[in-house]
Amino acid sequence: MRHLLNPLDFSVEEIEALLDLASDIEKHPQKYAHVCDGKKLATLFYEPSTRTRLSFESAMLRLGGSVLGFSSADSSSAAKGESVSDTIRVISCYADICAMRHPKEGAPMVASVHSGIPVINAGDGGHQHPTQTLTDLMTIRSLKGRLDNLTVGLCGDLKFGRTVHSLINALVRYTGIRFVLISPPELRIPDYIREDVLEAKGIEYREVENLDEAMPELDILYMTRVQKERFFNEEDYIRMKDCYILDRQKMALAREDMFVLHPLPRVNEISVEVDDDPRAAYFRQVQYGVYVRMALIMTLLEVEKPC
Ligand code: NCD
């Protein structure tokens, strides 16, 4: 039985196969409408979510399966003190696969050890968010036609942003990837990513504070929200929350074939005036997220691809 806890749980070849399957689902959705008939997905969300939980549910429903679950810790037995390992043992009796989001880093990993069904990490604290990464990879591959030889700007909260950590981990496996890491000094990427991933693999990267300066060289700009819920004190959050605002003027500095991604939710970091720019890809990214999760559910449940 396989789980998805970290983007590296799948090899580059397996990710390619998964993205190919997701692209086929995008082209021929009707072919897949019953491949998971009778299967159940449990969504165990101990932290707020709109896209991730609902895109998992939408994915399973589009495959013909059904869904059950909870959307906050307060509405589950966690509020009574139940451990994640007990909860997952119970859920294993109700569902065939589960997606778990938890504020504690490593909680989905603990669950996987005690689980009788595949566990998908749907975000654990400031650590990883592998299904957002699969979504990001599908978006980049669909828009740029490749996952190698790209200059990727990551902007905003690189310290607490789990989508950034997962995306860096996944992209360093492709050749010719360069990163421009754009953040205030307080929100730079954690040392374990800088040293154990970027430095250890000899990846080209620059850490800068100025977004304008970085714009002209980027193939992809990945904007992120300052992660309010992970700050220890509100003053720091208020000081940093509007540190970057992508607007039309900044977009004018970028290439014609650059694309802007954002895992969403957006707060202030992308001005709504950018939404009409053909290079704004964040709502298309949401749609790709459904196809990728459909492909992932099929892969982990070992459902045959229909002919
Ligand atoms: C992200 C997350 O939860 O980490 N959202 C998402 O799943 N698309 C990004 C965020 O909350 O800023």
Side-chain angles (χ1 to χ4, degrees), residues 16-26 32 295 298-299 305:
E16 197 182 322
L18 195 134
L19 298 186
D20 287 345
L21 177 58
S23 297
D24 195 61
I25 295 172
E26 179 187 9
Y32 295 87
M298 283 180 64
T299 304
K305 184 181 163 187

Side-chain angles (χ1 to χ4, degrees), residues 242-256:
D242 293 327
C243 54
Y244 298 104
I245 299 181
L246 182 67
D247 57 14
R248 270 203 198 121
Q249 275 173 320
K250 287 189 168 46
M251 288 298 282
L253 303 170
R255 290 198 203 140
E256 283 302 305

